Amino acid sequence: MKKYEKVFQKDYETWYGENEAYRKQVAEDPDRLAFHLMPETGWMNDPNGLCQFKGEYHIYYQYPPFEPTGELKLWGHYKTKDLVTYEQCQPVLFPDSDEDAHGVYSGSAFCENGKINFFYTGNVKLFDRPDYDYINSGRVSNTMYVTSEDGMHFSPKKCLMTNSDYPADISAHVRDPKIIKREDGYYMVLGARDKESKGLVLVYRSDDLTNWKYHGRITTENAFGYMWECPDYFKIGDKKLLSTSVQGLEGGIWEDRNVYQSGYFEIEGDILGEYKLSEYHLWDYGFDYYAPQSFETEDGRRIHISWMGMPDCEEYSNPTIQTGWQHCFTFPREIFEKDGKICQRPIRELEEKKHLVSDVKGMLAGEGYPVYEMTISDITKNRFKVILSEKLILDYADGKFRMHFTDQDKTSVSSGRSMRYVEVEEVENLKILADTSSVEVFVNDGEYVFSTRYYPEVYKLQAEAVGAQITLSEIM
Ligand code: FRU
């Protein structure tokens, strides 16, 4: 497949028929994940269109199946009844129209009137002039609309808005629509970059989900990064959160962090009227986390799923590229409030997959499992140390909880990852969710979370935490 040519469903089907050996190669990779979603072949990035509809959850995703470097964006599709056992379905949206010919980019689902309404960005790159900078010119960002009554079959695509419908001071970077319903109508938030390279969210309003009018914008007083991607807005208890993935944060604290960030602002006032944004809180302090999306389940939980990867990252990589695939999703998390703090925990459905290991000591002394959950509770005086597969260390020093690798070169277990940390006075407990090549660590009941990929040569688990309680469960 060529990067700047349309891909039709039949092109994909022909390619799929011819690539059984490719699928087998990925299926046999020992680094493939046991309970995290990953692509069958190729690359996976943002979760898209998350929803619960007619008794099933749908999880779509940015999916270039053809190669592990992520060029041609389709929407892949998984569905599940319990968020534990997934069924892989056919990709649903292909870059096959003039409005999305160079990528069916990210978007969301909004269930209303007995159907799922999908909004996404149709990406088009122009090549008719040599002087495009592809920031303010040379790129078309179409806001697209499709509906489905079963999550599998889709209505024809409709283009709702294009560059000329966005305010004049906005660059060509506008994308990732998400819908908010209010009593007086529907609102759409879109991530954007203005012509002065300030990141912001554009807000549109509609009465019928198809005709949209500019309503306003949400941003900080001083520029906070040059681009805000994947905006999301929701409430947790009394707190109102605007989540967005920010590009272009530099200097100071950001020098110790990832190239791009995902986090949220707490909102005082009304995001659609007079508002004040709090400081920006990161969703995750690890190496691999970007572009999360949330949805609300029918039983009222706010579930968050993220791409466990990092775009444009030169510092570290993933050796799975050699086998023909790259990236995965975080295990779904519930967002909740504890003592006024926003926290995250693995969804409760995981309990059904866990088997308590009775011989924790034996397990710590011997060979480990590749896939497990370990909890350490009642830690006192920050005294603990966990070593995963001899190379990945979780510990506390100089007022910081740290996740760091002993070897940091690109051919080691870390594949180039070094250290990430958060300043915290006291670490009371840890929950570690380890899959074959991923680790997610929940600190202090999920007040801070660290996600990373790693590529162990041996599975070994060492943990010291004097006086604390350690429990271990194998995840089946
Ligand atoms: C975030 C993102 C989105 C875009 C998509 C393209 O990772 O850049 O803004 O829609 O990925 O794959």
Side-chain angles (χ1 to χ4, degrees), residues 377-411:
S377 48
D378 303 322
I379 297 172
T380 47
K381 302 196 178 117
N382 295 318
R383 281 196 313 215
F384 66 91
K385 184 170 188 174
V386 182
I387 309 176
L388 307 183
S389 293
E390 297 177 337
K391 307 284 183 185
L392 172 55
I393 302 182
L394 308 172
D395 65 3
Y396 191 91
D398 306 327
K400 294 169 182 163
F401 169 83
R402 310 185 302 175
M403 167 185 263
H404 54 121
F405 286 90
T406 53
D407 297 331
Q408 300 169 3
D409 64 273
K410 284 206 172 151
T411 55

Side-chain angles (χ1 to χ4, degrees), residues 7 73 418 428 466-467:
V7 178
K73 307 284 162 79
S418 51
E428 288 165 9
V466 184

